[in-house]
């Protein structure tokens, strides 16, 4: 992972845990990317006639847990953004149709492509593209968004108002 992420100023990582053989089985990945982390009036989400402007954050923290049977389709890594800090305070997590924002699985990343089962570094890069809204699936059709409430906001407000097409190159955090 170190070699393939070398030179990237938007992504860094650390090993959280190793197995008895010394191989990493859990990572913390830090994204330094300006991205949407919610909306201004979340309590009025998707209410008719309400302009619900996006809120932005510049840092997001992802945890990758790798199961013992990896790399097998039935033992794929779990990718989840942290939503609470060490003192149980809310921390910004991505507002994206393919990342769960609400509920018990908040922070979970939906990855429906075969290579995401085996290529962790490529997946880390793909998630950076999610954060920049270079990739997203908001339509309520296969492969289906992970968070339908966020997907609806993206389709009804984010896309029509151009809010998800912010200029990441101009705003990129080094």
């Amino acid at each position: 992972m170190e070699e393939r992420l070398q030179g990237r100023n938007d992504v860094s990582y650390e090993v959280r845990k190793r197995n008895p053989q010394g191989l990493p089985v859990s990572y913390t990945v830090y994204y330094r990317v300006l991205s949407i982390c919610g909306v201004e009036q979340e309590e009025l989400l998707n209410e008719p006639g309400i302009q619900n402007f996006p809120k932005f954050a510049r840092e997001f923290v992802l945890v990758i847990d790798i199961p013992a049977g990896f790399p097998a389709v039935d033992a794929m890594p779990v990718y989840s953004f942290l939503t609470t800090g060490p003192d149980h305070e809310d921390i910004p997590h991505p507002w994206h149709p393919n990342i769960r924002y609400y509920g018990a699985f908040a922070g979970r990343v939906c990855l429906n492509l075969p290579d995401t089962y085996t290529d962790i570094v490529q997946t880390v890069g793909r998630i950076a593209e999610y954060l920049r809204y270079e990739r997203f699936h908001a339509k309520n059709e296969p492969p289906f968004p992970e968070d339908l409430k966020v997907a609806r906001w993206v389709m009804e407000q984010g896309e029509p108002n151009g809010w998800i097409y912010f200029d990441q190159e101009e705003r990129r955090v080094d």
Side-chain angles (χ1 to χ4, degrees):
M1 187 175 304
E2 182 175 344
E3 182 179 301
R4 290 180 57 199
L5 291 177
Q6 189 173 12
R8 286 192 71 150
N9 58 5
D10 61 338
V11 180
S12 61
Y13 75 96
E14 61 187 38
V15 176
R16 290 171 49 111
K17 184 178 176 186
R18 295 181 183 273
N19 66 14
Q21 293 76 34
L23 297 173
V25 294
S26 184
Y27 292 96
T28 302
V29 179
Y30 303 94
Y31 290 93
R32 287 174 303 285
V33 175
L34 181 69
S35 188
I36 301 172
C37 66
V39 293
E40 289 182 352
Q41 301 178 74
E42 192 174 324
E43 69 282 359
L44 300 175
L45 181 63
N46 297 322
E47 289 290 323
I50 302 292
Q51 286 266 327
N52 219 330
F53 296 95
K55 296 188 303 186
F56 290 87
R58 293 185 177 272
E59 295 184 5
F60 300 90
V61 181
L62 177 81
V63 173
I64 303 171
D65 290 313
I66 304 168
F70 178 78
V73 172
D74 62 346
M76 60 186 227
V78 176
Y79 300 86
S80 294
F81 280 93
L82 294 182
T83 61
T84 56
D87 296 326
H88 304 289
E89 75 278 11
D90 288 341
I91 60 173
H93 62 285
W95 178 267
H96 190 281
N98 307 119
I99 301 170
R100 178 71 60 146
Y101 194 83
Y102 294 102
F105 297 104
R108 180 174 66 185
V109 180
C110 178
L111 298 159
N112 289 326
L113 300 170
D115 60 340
T116 60
Y117 298 119
T118 58
D119 194 332
I120 292 171
V121 179
Q122 184 176 352
T123 303
V124 166
R126 178 174 285 124
I127 293 169
E129 292 172 355
Y130 280 11
L131 293 174
R132 289 190 290 272
Y133 271 83
E134 293 171 1
R135 289 180 183 253
F136 65 93
H137 182 80
K139 292 182 180 176
N140 193 12
E141 60 186 35
F144 296 106
E146 179 68 25
D147 196 299
L148 292 175
K149 291 178 183 179
V150 175
R152 182 174 169 204
W153 177 88
V154 166
M155 293 193 58
E156 293 179 3
Q157 293 199 32
E159 284 182 312
N161 290 305
W163 297 334
I164 62 170
Y165 303 112
F166 47 93
D167 186 358
Q168 283 295 328
E169 290 304 316
E170 182 179 305
R171 297 180 184 191
R172 185 165 289 168
V173 178
D174 293 330

